[in-house]
Amino acid sequence: MTAPAQEFTATEEERRTLDQLLYILVGRSVKEVRITRVNWPEGKRWVTTVFGLNGKEVPLYERGLHKQAAIVLRDAFPDANWARAQDYDVKTGVLREHVVQLPAGLRKAAG
């Protein structure tokens, strides 16, 4: 059995600030941000997936935006385990470790 995902909550002021910073970076309101650290031949790199208010992915065409978004969240939540993928919910201000779960059909078979 795995430990529950770590979770951190921003204060209301921090949440508003993060919302504004993400709006500036992405150019629109954001619902969720997923930050993942990946290994490339050139070394480790931040990959950011941003979801707009409609739940659809917002493409980040400029490579630097991935790193900037990651740094904004990393600075806001320094105690999070940044070696693991993190999901940030803009509305609630909650950052939690991204945990991939087995589909329901596979969970039944494994149980």
Side-chain angles (χ1 to χ4, degrees), residues 84-98:
R84 310 267 321 223
Q86 300 288 332
D87 296 331
Y88 177 66
D89 183 314
V90 176
K91 184 176 181 179
T92 63
V94 172
L95 179 88
R96 74 174 48 89
E97 201 171 281
H98 180 73

Side-chain angles (χ1 to χ4, degrees), residues 56-75:
K56 294 184 179 182
E57 184 177 349
V58 177
L60 298 179
Y61 295 110
E62 198 175 309
R63 188 184 303 179
L65 291 176
H66 290 267
K67 184 176 181 180
Q68 288 175 331
I71 290 171
V72 163
L73 290 173
R74 188 190 67 193
D75 288 352

Side-chain angles (χ1 to χ4, degrees), residues 8-33 35 50 68-78 82 87-95:
F8 301 90
T9 304
T11 65
E12 184 59 28
E13 183 179 344
E14 290 168 333
R15 191 200 62 73
R16 282 194 307 271
T17 300
L18 288 170
D19 187 19
Q20 290 173 341
L21 288 171
L22 291 168
Y23 182 90
I24 291 167
L25 283 174
V26 179
R28 65 179 78 179
S29 295
V30 173
K31 179 180 181 180
E32 182 182 349
V33 180
I35 305 289
V50 176
Q68 288 175 331
I71 290 171
V72 163
L73 290 173
R74 188 190 67 193
D75 288 352
F77 299 99
W82 290 100
D87 296 331
Y88 177 66
D89 183 314
V90 176
K91 184 176 181 179
T92 63
V94 172
L95 179 88

